[in-house]
Amino acid sequence: MSMSSMLFFFLAQPKSSFLSIVTAFLNIEIFFKSNHIFSPFLWCCLIASISTFYLKKRSKKVYLVDFACHKPLPSSICSKELFIHYLINSGVFKDESINFQRKIIDRSGFSDKTYLPEDSLKIPPIICTLNAEKKETESVIYAAIDELLLKTKMKVEDIDILITNCCIFSPSPSLSAMIVNHYKLKDQVLCYNLSGMGCSAGLIAIDLAKHLLEVHQNSYALVVSTENLNSGGYKGNNKSMLITNCLFRLGGAAILLSNISSDSRRSKYHLKHMVRTHTGSQDSCYNSVIQKEDETNKIRGIALSKDLMSSAGLALKENITTLGKYVLPLSQQLKFASSFVVKKYFNKNMKVYTPDFKLCFEHFCIHTGGKAVQDEMQKVLGLSDWQIEPSRMTLYRFGNTSSSSVWYALAYCEAKGRIRKGDRIWQLAFGSGFKCNTAVWCALRNVVPIEEINPWSDEVHEFPVDV
Ligand SMILES: *[C@@H]1O[C@H](CO)[C@@H](O)[C@H](O)[C@H]1NC(C)=O
Ligand SMILES: *[C@@H]1O[C@H](CO)[C@@H](O)[C@H](O)[C@H]1NC(C)=O
Ligand SMILES: *[C@@H]1O[C@H](CO)[C@@H](O)[C@H](O)[C@H]1NC(C)=O
Ligand SMILES: CC(=O)N[C@H]1CO[C@H](CO)[C@@H](O)[C@@H]1O
Ligand SMILES: CC(=O)N[C@H]1CO[C@H](CO)[C@@H](O)[C@@H]1O
């Protein structure tokens, strides 16, 4: 290897670790000082240090081989009208509550095609038994996993790590045990079930998988994200608890991660960054989305407080400050830092510069919490209609599917043929806690929509629609 090609090698790896640069320069120095330029020993040192550096860099990669989002059967479709019809006939709500929910659903940004579990659409409604809840979750997660296995041609024996997340529903044995039993996974599989961690838990599961893949050599990790509706429904009349009733819809996603180097060829993405923020130490944030009994002390539900939007704003601000350090170009970071200093020491009224994240990402997949959240996000981040479209259309078509929503949004980008090799994707999820979690992925290849099983495939030409 000549000197110039070696220099080129280092220049081509701008993010190389400090340590390896130092070793390399030490090597270069020895190289020059040495009288025996062609000493085999020195050559060996050089090659060894370059290859360890190269291997180290490679081994940090976590690949997303593929993912699948469940599309429920047409019999689970619940139009807005049917939803109201169901509310009226269920006999549990007062007129005032029905009118309130009608208002919420009218302003939700939903289409008439979102999904609810079939059992909860029956009149009279079926009492929420554990059986009904299990049936619902099983139908969603098994369908998503089946599709993923089909897409990736994986054998179940190859799965080494299994992580499930579901906020409200936590049966015993757990969801991960249900999957192990259904698919007869191997005995050594490492299982984790995350419960109660809200809508942003899908990315927490990815983060956990990433850490586990760093420890467990050459493994496959299966992540399953879903939410249960039967157990989340609120059957009382407190307005702050009725909102989630209206917006919450059926859905689930299964994701296969790997750190096996041969998977770099077939994988779709690799994970570039993961940032998790938790503002739960502040009472207002902690209480902004909380499961509890209402004032009658009998009926359980999820209450949203008026602090919800400000908590989301706070968590987002903290998180993107951290993320910005990794992804923003230097010029943007300087602009941000200087405006921050000016505000702090010279002009208190000045607004801190909001960095332009459109320079760092081609695609944005934002949690479909509700229309208000998305409008706010579009404003804060200055996104164009094209950029916010995947999230808006996901909300329109599938509703708030909790932790799996960011995967439906990514599936939308794929179905539209938007994903090109090298594109960067930002997944951004909010949830109770209050948490804001983000993942940044980089596309390893073009995604050709015709070759794919995708929940949007057969109808993507109808989108975007005006909401
Ligand atoms: C509804 O629930 C919220 C949150 O639990 C509570 O603050 C509020 O007082 C309740 N509303 C009524 C009418 O009791
Ligand atoms: C979306 O659904 C989740 C279900 O867990 C709920 O916690 C969250 O509050 C919902 N978002 C809105 C704005 O209703
Ligand atoms: C997977 O992770 C292990 C442990 O960090 C590492 O030894 C192995 O080389 C990794 N494989 C790849 C190609 O990422
Ligand atoms: C961490 C976590 O969510 N653990 C749950 C796993 O599942 C069992 C049984 O369903 C729950 O009791 C745990 O809380
Ligand atoms: C895990 C993580 O990186 N969270 C960060 C989110 O942003 C705040 C503020 O910059 C940091 O303090 C957290 O560490």
Side-chain angles (χ1 to χ4, degrees), residues 274-278 315 317-322 325-326:
M274 187 83 221
V275 176
R276 291 172 52 184
T277 315
H278 204 309
K317 201 173 89 198
E318 295 211 339
N319 203 292
I320 62 179
T321 312
T322 311
K325 284 184 221 147
Y326 301 127

Side-chain angles (χ1 to χ4, degrees), residues 33 46 60 110 134 159 212 217 293 365 398 416:
K33 279 187 182 156
L46 202 62
K60 290 218 179 85
F110 282 12
K134 260 199 177 149
I159 294 168
L212 289 169
Q217 311 257 327
E293 260 98 36
C365 303
F398 293 97
K416 276 277 177 199

Side-chain angles (χ1 to χ4, degrees), residues 167-168 199 227 243-244 247-248 289 302 304 308 367 369-370 373 400 402:
C167 182
I168 302 167
C199 297
E227 197 45 83
I243 301 174
T244 38
L247 299 182
F248 196 16
V289 181
I302 300 169
L304 302 184
L308 179 62
H367 170 54
V373 181
N400 171 3
S402 191

Side-chain angles (χ1 to χ4, degrees), residues 170-176 192-196:
S170 179
S172 217
S174 64
L175 284 187
S176 35
Y192 299 86
N193 71 300
L194 306 178
S195 61

